[in-house]
Amino acid sequence: MKRHLSLMLCLLLLFPLAACRQGESKGMEKYTEYYFDYFDTATTVVGYAESKEAFDATAEQIRSELERYHRLYDIYSTYEGIHNLCTVNSTEGGVHRPVAVDGEILSLLRFAKQMYKETNGTVNVAMGSVLSLWHDCREQALLRPDEAALPSTEDLLRAAEHTDIEQVIIDEEAGTVYLADPLMTLDVGAVAKGYATEQIAKALREQDVSGFMLNVGGNVRAVGHKPDGSAWTVGIENPDRLSADAYVTTVDIEELAVVTSGSYQRFYTVDGTSYHHIIHPETLFPATHYLSVSVLCPDAGVADALSTALFCMPLEDGYACIADRAEVAVLWVLPDGSIEKTENFPTATDS
């Protein structure tokens, strides 16, 4: 139910582009692996190795780490032997309690709080109470399309009263997380995939692994370059499903991330109108400024958070948000299909 065909088609289209250039070197072959079990999305790993066994060893390490991060950051299920974000969100007697958690949860929440500040509150992992209303309506609509409905404005406004990120209390010394508002819940969907992808990529580079590309649900991260020294070619998906062009452009990357947030992946329809999953923190409804926003920068976690934040901002505010980030390049697809991009966004490549 939760795997999206459009995303799968994107993945199948995207990674052949990475092989368009002659990246193979003597003794190195290209291999591909797919995972479908983590972060409610599809993952593709492409890499060059001297043998299938060598590639499989790295791919298995990536899979194992994805599973670990998925379990830690899961807000819907608990797992034996760990306290995860679902545990943090749970209550006893109507209140939350401090929960001792893995350091990777503390690190994610510190990062999320920093991105909250840097996006003027547009990325807020404390919006779980609001996002859960939309999630439940979307899931219900997928099961029974004829009964599709929107969350009520009254329910959304009540839920929005419990989204103050300052009520997320991190005790570094004790290693605990505590939600001081009993009606607050966390939802890390805007940051978790990108953050996990970046941590896995960094771990690979510390082991001198190169020549790999990770795509975790549209969070693309290049680990090094191809064996012959050439970059990876990545397609920026066209949000217009009726267009003959699968991509609005392509970019060459190495040691960089590309993340796209769009209105065309997770959505449902009510009375002929589509409602996607990127909720504006002020209106409490899906943002309507763009069809998609793609962010290119060295850190997949930052790219993930910024793609969501910029999707919810008018262009002027978006440019202001990244004014001090020379390492960030952005491409916006507007509702009429026109494109706006920062001056440093790479020009299209011949693939």
Side-chain angles (χ1 to χ4, degrees):
M1 280 296 299
K2 297 182 181 180
R3 296 167 188 147
H4 304 282
L5 179 58
S6 57
L7 176 57
M8 281 304 303
L9 291 174
C10 175
L11 293 173
L12 292 172
L13 287 167
L14 175 61
F15 279 99
L17 282 175
C20 287
R21 297 186 177 183
Q22 297 302 312
E24 293 84 350
S25 293
K26 186 176 181 180
M28 302 289 281
E29 298 290 338
K30 183 172 74 71
Y31 302 95
T32 304
E33 184 70 53
Y34 301 98
Y35 312 128
F36 301 94
D37 303 316
Y38 312 119
F39 290 103
D40 189 21
T41 192
T43 294
T44 305
V45 177
V46 176
Y48 289 89
E50 294 181 350
S51 67
K52 181 67 162 57
E53 291 73 20
F55 170 81
D56 286 346
T58 301
E60 173 58 26
Q61 176 186 344
I62 294 169
R63 187 209 61 77
S64 178
E65 284 296 278
L66 274 174
E67 180 178 31
R68 184 172 71 90
Y69 282 109
H70 167 81
R71 291 188 173 195
L72 288 173
Y73 300 157
D74 195 341
I75 64 172
Y76 300 110
S77 302
T78 58
Y79 302 89
E80 185 176 356
I82 65 170
H83 289 161
N84 65 359
L85 288 181
C86 185
T87 315
V88 173
N89 280 342
S90 65
T91 58
E92 293 181 4
V95 297
H96 298 290
R97 60 183 176 83
V99 179
V101 295
D102 188 281
E104 294 288 5
I105 290 180
L106 299 179
S107 295
L108 174 69
L109 294 180
R110 284 196 299 269
F111 171 74
K113 283 196 166 192
Q114 182 62 32
M115 294 310 300
Y116 176 88
K117 294 178 182 178
E118 294 184 14
T119 63
N120 295 317
T122 308
V123 172
N124 183 5
V125 298
M127 280 188 63
S129 57
V130 170
L131 298 181
S132 65
L133 294 175
W134 282 102
H135 174 271
D136 291 347
C137 285
R138 187 169 61 250
E139 292 295 295
Q140 179 65 20
L142 293 174
L143 290 172
R144 298 183 178 85
D146 58 327
E147 299 178 12
L150 304 179
S152 72
T153 300
E154 293 78 9
D155 286 346
L156 289 170
L157 289 173
R158 279 195 294 268
E161 295 176 358
H162 306 284
T163 61
D164 180 6
I165 201 169
E166 295 303 320
Q167 300 299 306
V168 181
I169 311 300
I170 300 173
D171 187 326
E172 299 286 356
E173 185 174 349
T176 61
V177 178
Y178 168 58
L179 306 183
D181 182 340
L183 297 182
M184 170 183 287
T185 57
L186 300 177
D187 186 317
V188 294
V191 296
K193 289 197 302 291
Y195 183 84
T197 301
E198 183 62 26
Q199 301 316 301
I200 292 170
K202 287 179 178 178
L204 292 174
R205 293 305 285 140
E206 288 173 359
Q207 300 168 36
D208 293 326
V209 172
S210 185
F212 271 71
M213 175 83 83
L214 313 180
N215 184 334
V216 184
N219 290 260
V220 179
R221 175 62 153 86
V223 181
H225 47 67
K226 298 178 187 177
D228 67 354
S230 64
W232 298 86
T233 301
V234 176
I236 304 297
E237 188 178 6
N238 191 339
D240 181 1
R241 296 304 193 191
L242 300 179
S243 173
D245 299 320
Y247 308 102
V248 295
T249 190
T250 60
V251 293
D252 283 352
I253 64 171
E254 53 182 284
E255 291 300 342
L256 287 173
V258 182
V259 179
T260 297
S261 290
S263 60
Y264 54 94
Q265 289 290 352
R266 299 187 183 190
F267 62 89
Y268 71 106
T269 302
V270 180
D271 296 330
T273 300
S274 294
Y275 296 86
H276 60 79
H277 70 293
I278 306 174
I279 306 304
H280 195 294
E282 293 182 359
T283 68
L284 307 180
F285 271 72
T288 58
H289 297 297
Y290 316 103
L291 298 180
S292 69
V293 176
S294 298
V295 175
L296 174 67
C297 79
D299 188 302
V302 172
D304 197 7
L306 285 180
S307 69
T308 299
L310 296 176
F311 193 91
C312 295
M313 296 180 184
L315 271 175
E316 183 178 354
D317 293 345
Y319 272 107
C321 179
I322 59 172
D324 296 328
R325 289 184 173 273
E327 79 284 5
V328 172
V330 184
L331 182 148
W332 295 265
V333 180
L334 279 67
D336 64 1
S338 62
I339 292 175
E340 174 80 14
K341 58 184 178 180
T342 56
E343 292 183 358
N344 63 340
F345 198 90
T347 56
T349 59
D350 296 325
S351 52

